[in-house]
Amino acid sequence: MTGGRSGAGPTGTDGAEAAPAAAASALVALEAAAATAGRTGPGRPAGPSGSGGPSGSGGSDRAFGARLMAPLLLGSLLNPINSTMIATALVAIGQDFHVGAADTAWLISAMYLSSAVGQPSMGRLADRVGPRRVFAAGALTVCAAGLIGALAPTFGLLIVSRVVLGTGTAAAYPAAMAILRAESRRVGRPAPRYVLGRLSLAALGSAAIGPTLGGLLAATAGRRAVFAVNIPLALLALLGALAWLPADRKNAGAGRSGSDSGPVPGSSGRAGASGSLDPLGIALFAATLTCAMFFVLRLEDPQWPLLAPTGVLAGVLVWWQLRHPAPFLDLRMLARHGALVRTCLRHGLAYLVIYCVLYGFSQWLEEAHGFSSFHAGLVMLPMSGAAAFCSIAGARTKGIRAPLTVAAVCLAVGSAVFLLLQGTSPLVALLCAGALFGIPQGLASTGNQAAVYAQAPADGVGSAAGLQRTAQYLGAITSSGLIGLLYGERASDSGLHAIALIGVVLGLLLLALTLADRSLRTGATGTGTGAGAGAGAGD
C-alpha cells in the first residue's frame, strides 16, 4: 500500500472465476502423471484416522514434517509477498506505462478485492473437491498471472494479471488449513501449534521482505521481473504439492468425516446437498465488496450514492444464501458457530489497526520525518522482526485466549506510544515504537489462526480459513480509506496521532471482546469435531 490514498480499480471478477477452472483442467493431466509415478502423498494416500500410519506422537510429528509443510509454506507466502512486493515497483510501472500514482494504486486495490473474494471461494472449493487439487490449481493460476504480468503490453492487462494473481494466491492458505485438518484426523492428533505458527511466520516474513525484494527486482531486472518471479515460485509449490501432499479423498466435500461414518456433527449438514459451487452467491459477494470498496477508498470525498447499491446487493446476497441448498456463505452455519464469527470479527479489527499503523507509519516516516524510502524500510525492520519473533512464541503456547489478550493490550499500548511521536522524535524512539507494535502482529495472527482451526466445522475448515483472511483484507481496505481521510494530501503529525487514537480505541474494544468471549476459555473452544477439535483451547 502507498499511504492508503489509492483509487479503486477494476474488479475483473469474470476473469478471476475462470482462472481456477482453467487451471483445474490442466491439473488433471499433471495429477495423472504424478499418479503414474506413484507419488500420491508422503508415502501413502490420506485416509481415515489411524490408517496408513502411526497415530502416536512420533507418527504425528512425522505426518507434519518437512515434505508436507514445504509446499504449504511456499504456497502460503505467495499472497502476502505479492501484496507488499508491488509497493516499491509502482514508480517504475508508472513510468513504463505513463500513468500516475492514482492509477498504479489500482494494482493494489484489485489484488486485495480478488483476494477477499477468492479466499472463501477457494476455501469452499477445497472443502468440496479436495484441498490438494485446489492448492495445485491455485499454483497453476499464479503461474498464468506471472506470465500475463511479465508480458503485459498495456496497463489494463497488468491490472488483470493482479486480479488473477489475487485469486490464484488465495487458494493456498485455506487449502493448507484443510490439508492440516485432514492429516490430523488421519493420525488421530491435532496439528501441533508450531505447525500452524509456521504458516503465520511464512506470511509475516514474506510480507516483511516483499518491499525489499520488489525494489531489488525492479532496479536490477525491471518491473516485469516483479511479476515473472511468481512463475518459478509457483512451479516449485506445484511440484511439491503433486509429489508430497496427501491425495484427496474420493468423497471430498461430501459432508462426511474421515471415517466416512456419516455427516460431521456441527457441520453445515448441507455441504453435499448440491453439486453447485453457488456461482451467483460468489458474484453477489464480489459485487457487494466492490461497491463497498469504492466507497471506503474515497472517504475524504464520500460517494454517498454507492451506499444504495451496496445495501441492495447485500440484501440480495443474504436472501440468496438463505435460499440456496449449498450456499457460498452458509449463514445458518455461521449462526450456529458464533465463536467462529467472533474470531473473524476480532481478526478483522486487529488487522484494521495493524494496517493503519503499518502503512500510515511508513508514509509518515518519509513525508513528515524526512526519511528516504530505503531508510524508512530500515526503521520498520524492528516491527517486522518483533512480529516474526512473536509469531514463533505464539505458536509455542498451548492456549488461545492469553496470546489474544496480550495482542489486544499491545495494540492499545503501542498505539498510545504513537500518540507521543513527533516529526523531530529521535531515531531510538521510532525503533522502539515500531518494535512494540510488532508484538500484536505476531500474536494476533497465530492466535486467531489457531482459534479458526479449533472452532471451524470439521468439513468446513477451508471455508472458515478463507473467511478469516477475507476479514483481514477488509481491514486492509478500510485502513486504506482511513489513512487517505486522515492524511489528506500529505502525512503529518496530527494525522498520525488520529490514526493512533483510533488504534487505542479499537485495541481496548478488542480487549473487551477477547475477555468476554467464553469460547476462548479452557475446554470451551472446539466446535469442530475430530482430531482438530479443541486444539489450543484455554489460557
Side-chain angles (χ1 to χ4, degrees), residues 228-258:
V229 71
N230 287 291
I231 299 175
L233 292 177
L235 285 176
L236 286 175
L238 174 62
L239 293 176
L242 295 178
W244 295 329
L245 293 186
D248 295 320
R249 301 195 317 271
K250 292 183 179 180
N251 65 328
R256 304 179 74 85
S257 69

Side-chain angles (χ1 to χ4, degrees), residues 193 394-404 446-447 450-451 520 522 535-539:
R193 276 287 291 274
R396 293 180 179 274
T397 62
K398 295 182 178 180
I400 295 176
R401 190 169 181 239
L404 289 178
T446 54
L520 299 178
T522 303
D539 295 332

